Amino acid sequence: MVTSLKKSFSISRVVFIAFMVLFSVFMLLPIVYIFNHAFKPYHELFVYPPNFLVREPTSQNFIELLWITSNSIIPLTRYLFNSLFISLATVLAVTIVSALCAYALAKHSFPGRSFVFSSIVLMLMFAPEVVQIPRYLVVSNLGLLNTYFGHVLPLVALPVGVFLLKQFMEQIPNALLEAARIDGSNEFGLFIRIVIPVCLPAVATVTILAFQSSWSNLETSAFFMQDDDMKTFPFFLSTLTNNLANNVARQGAAAVAALIILVPNLIFFVLLQGKVIDTMAHSGIK
């Protein structure tokens, strides 16, 4: 009987692992396609039926992208610098603001706390287009048009980040914080030395979400920036094939630009994906 149980357990485990491997391969297909697409020559970019894997790899698409930017007023490096600087600044601002807000909601009692948290949860339901006009009015009235702050400020409020961090912080025992207060620690010391180290998985998740929303963001460049040297790489990508006489020109350069958009997101996620799994396993579980 024990042998049969071991056998069934082993078979079920093998089947489960095989299924997860196949599912993982399926999830990787879009990434593999984008990498292959960037190296396809033009006759493969438009072949029908399309080829999933490149057959004759070429670097001509990369050369085309460099040629396009070399003939433009704003170099490619300027767009990339803007995107990288804005993304890192946004990650820092979102992480700090979300963590402080979550700590106040999770570990402090004040009038209207439930209302504030309910409002934050309600904001998860709103599409970005709904708040587009209020965002523009705020940025314009603060004089932040054509500035880096104009890129960062509209992205600082991340409701899902506050929600995840609050759910995680609520699992920290209040007795632990009280013991630290008795030992003489102030609120800032509690936040930095106890709360943040315990909540690192949730902080890593919020960091990924903030980076992804900022790195691929088109809104701030399109609506808040009039000067081309203040716009980001995703906006440049959106203009590569605009106002052209045909749909073929610059498609190779666009494929390479899409790859450049993907790579930082992929690296960021791979480095922190273990923390994301920990967050999903603990958030909301009491």
Side-chain angles (χ1 to χ4, degrees), residues 188-234:
F188 184 75
L190 289 176
F191 181 74
I192 295 297
R193 298 174 185 173
I194 297 178
V195 175
I196 292 300
V198 172
C199 297
L200 276 181
V203 171
T205 303
V206 173
T207 299
I208 292 175
L209 295 175
F211 183 84
Q212 290 178 341
S213 65
S214 177
W215 179 258
S216 58
N217 180 59
L218 290 173
E219 175 188 312
T220 54
S221 293
F223 298 109
F224 306 148
M225 306 296 146
Q226 284 76 45
D227 297 338
D228 286 340
D229 60 349
M230 289 301 299
K231 296 181 178 180
T232 58
F233 187 77

Side-chain angles (χ1 to χ4, degrees), residues 43-235:
H43 66 273
E44 287 191 40
L45 286 173
F46 297 96
V47 68
Y48 185 84
N51 299 326
F52 186 81
L53 298 176
V54 58
R55 296 180 180 178
E56 300 176 11
T58 179
S59 60
Q60 187 60 37
N61 296 335
F62 293 85
I63 297 174
E64 180 184 10
L65 179 61
L66 293 176
W67 179 83
I68 292 171
T69 56
S70 65
N71 292 328
S72 63
I73 299 177
I74 308 301
L76 177 65
T77 52
R78 177 67 183 188
Y79 291 116
L80 289 174
F81 169 80
N82 287 344
S83 291
L84 185 60
F85 177 79
I86 292 164
S87 297
L88 294 178
T90 301
V91 166
L92 182 63
V94 168
T95 303
I96 293 174
V97 171
S98 298
L100 289 172
C101 181
Y103 178 63
L105 292 171
K107 294 301 177 183
H108 289 273
S109 296
F110 55 88
R113 183 179 68 167
S114 298
F115 175 77
V116 171
F117 181 66
S118 298
S119 301
I120 292 173
V121 174
L122 182 64
M123 284 190 289
L124 294 172
M125 302 172 57
F126 286 92
E129 293 78 11
V130 176
V131 295
Q132 182 56 57
I133 294 177
R135 279 182 174 178
Y136 179 82
L137 293 175
V138 170
V139 173
S140 177
N141 291 332
L142 290 176
L144 299 180
L145 298 177
N146 285 321
T147 65
Y148 286 119
F149 286 108
H151 280 287
V152 176
L153 183 63
L155 304 178
V156 170
L158 188 65
V160 66
V162 177
F163 177 80
L164 287 175
L165 285 167
K166 177 184 178 295
Q167 299 299 98
F168 219 90
M169 290 179 183
E170 284 184 342
Q171 300 175 60
I172 301 176
N174 291 328
L176 177 63
L177 301 181
E178 289 299 329
R181 290 190 181 98
I182 292 173
D183 288 339
S185 178
N186 55 23
E187 289 298 321
F188 184 75
L190 289 176
F191 181 74
I192 295 297
R193 298 174 185 173
I194 297 178
V195 175
I196 292 300
V198 172
C199 297
L200 276 181
V203 171
T205 303
V206 173
T207 299
I208 292 175
L209 295 175
F211 183 84
Q212 290 178 341
S213 65
S214 177
W215 179 258
S216 58
N217 180 59
L218 290 173
E219 175 188 312
T220 54
S221 293
F223 298 109
F224 306 148
M225 306 296 146
Q226 284 76 45
D227 297 338
D228 286 340
D229 60 349
M230 289 301 299
K231 296 181 178 180
T232 58
F233 187 77
F235 181 85

